[in-house]
Amino acid sequence: MTPQLMGIVNATPDSFYDGDPQNNLSTLFAKCKDYVQNGADILDIGGESTRPGATPVSEQEELARVLPLIKKARQAFPKVQLSLDTFKIPVAKEGLQNGVRIINDVSGTPNPDMFHLVKQYEAQIVIMHTRGNPQNMQSLTQYQDLLGEIKDFLSAKIAQALSCGLTKEQIIIDPGFGFAKTREQNYILLKHLSVFKEPGVRVLAGLSRKTFLSQQCEKPPKRKAQTLAANLVALQNGADVLRVHDVKETRKIMNFWQELQTTK
């Protein structure tokens, strides 16, 4: 299966890398257009930051941020898959009714109703591993067996989704880089990403510009080189979807990697 490229579109004022109080429909749509022109397969639109310490927002506020963009992007880019980064059922439903094909649920504990909703709309769901919430997750990093516990968690969620009527082709799993993990634990996850591979279920790697990639206290814009390198490692270790801010550069890496695979 050819890996897919997912471009991050944060319709938020406070996301850790590209949140901006000046975000509006025009600037966000321009980002979507740029991503599509540079090879994005999926646009992942989110209206609530999940960075450590982020403040929750209401359903109404989240919908006000994402729905106009979803509608405009659906009309402009009918061949590009739209993903909605949310864990709220009403927000997910509105998105699915307006052309969203993937629900990216970063809660770590998708409600069975979310699985049933995704099934109803014949869509897909990303199930991510995390602990707690953005306010406390970085204090919940104690594991007896990091890889084993995360794999067991995701396997249980896959089984639950299947019991709700989803197929494996509708399920994408995400080990949750940066969510309730230390720097060292994130590196272990990246190095051993292949342990999460399960036939029929795709693996998403969300590494883009995250804090654990920093070298010598660099700020987010300085994490670009490490992000690109980490995404190449993720491809080598079995990632099926790369979720990124740097679409143009990552597409070049993916093209290089794919050409490399065909070389005998």
Side-chain angles (χ1 to χ4, degrees):
M1 183 181 294
T2 302
Q4 290 183 297
L5 181 55
M6 175 186 278
I8 301 168
V9 187
N10 286 322
T12 56
D14 58 341
S15 290
F16 82 96
Y17 172 64
D18 59 352
D20 187 342
Q22 303 304 313
N23 273 340
N24 57 50
L25 183 58
S26 177
T27 58
L28 293 168
F29 180 74
K31 177 178 287 189
C32 291
K33 185 176 180 180
D34 177 73
Y35 282 174
V36 172
Q37 289 175 340
N38 284 295
D41 302 298
I42 306 166
L43 297 173
D44 188 41
I45 298 170
E48 179 174 7
S49 175
T50 53
R51 64 175 174 77
T55 302
V57 302
S58 67
E59 294 171 5
Q60 293 75 19
E61 176 66 20
E62 189 175 350
L63 279 170
R65 293 176 179 180
V66 301
L67 204 53
L69 182 60
I70 287 170
K71 291 178 178 179
K72 190 166 184 176
R74 176 73 284 142
Q75 183 176 16
F77 315 117
K79 295 183 180 180
V80 175
Q81 284 187 300
L82 296 185
S83 171
L84 177 55
D85 184 345
T86 189
F87 58 87
K88 298 185 179 79
I89 299 284
V91 176
K93 186 173 183 179
E94 285 283 347
L96 290 165
Q97 288 175 342
N98 285 279
V100 165
R101 305 310 305 146
I102 302 171
I103 297 299
N104 185 8
D105 187 332
V106 300
S107 68
T109 54
N111 188 306
D113 288 342
M114 185 69 88
F115 292 138
H116 289 302
L117 184 66
V118 170
K119 179 180 183 296
Q120 178 186 342
Y121 284 88
E122 299 181 347
Q124 302 165 52
I125 187 166
V126 179
I127 304 171
M128 189 187 78
H129 174 272
T130 189
R131 289 174 167 179
N133 55 53
Q135 288 73 48
N136 64 12
M137 63 184 179
Q138 291 311 103
S139 65
L140 303 173
T141 59
Q142 299 299 315
Y143 299 87
Q144 295 297 317
D145 175 10
L146 177 72
L147 296 175
E149 289 178 42
I150 295 174
K151 186 174 182 179
D152 288 348
F153 172 93
L154 292 171
S155 295
K157 293 300 176 183
I158 291 170
Q160 185 180 24
L162 294 174
S163 73
C164 291
L166 294 179
T167 65
K168 285 190 172 184
E169 290 74 19
Q170 291 175 277
I171 301 169
I172 304 168
I173 57 172
D174 177 355
F177 290 101
F179 288 79
K181 283 98 178 170
T182 65
R183 179 187 177 92
E184 181 182 5
Q185 288 166 348
N186 284 302
Y187 275 71
I188 292 171
L189 281 186
L190 180 57
K191 189 172 183 178
H192 299 283
L193 189 63
S194 60
V195 306
F196 302 107
K197 298 289 286 183
E198 180 172 326
V201 177
R202 285 164 291 162
V203 176
L204 181 150
L207 296 153
S208 192
R209 305 287 184 127
K210 290 193 173 177
T211 303
F212 77 90
L213 295 172
S214 294
Q215 300 290 315
Q216 300 177 347
C217 301
E218 293 167 322
K219 294 181 179 180
K222 300 296 185 181
R223 299 175 193 151
K224 183 174 180 178
Q226 297 97 305
T227 295
L228 295 174
N231 277 317
L232 180 57
V233 173
L235 285 173
Q236 292 173 326
N237 289 332
D240 300 290
V241 183
L242 298 181
R243 183 177 183 271
V244 307
H245 297 93
D246 303 295
V247 168
K248 183 177 181 179
E249 294 85 350
T250 308
R251 174 52 70 190
K252 291 179 180 179
I253 286 175
M254 294 176 77
N255 290 345
F256 163 77
W257 179 82
Q258 287 173 292
E259 186 175 355
L260 190 63
Q261 304 315 298
T262 64
T263 303
K264 296 182 180 179

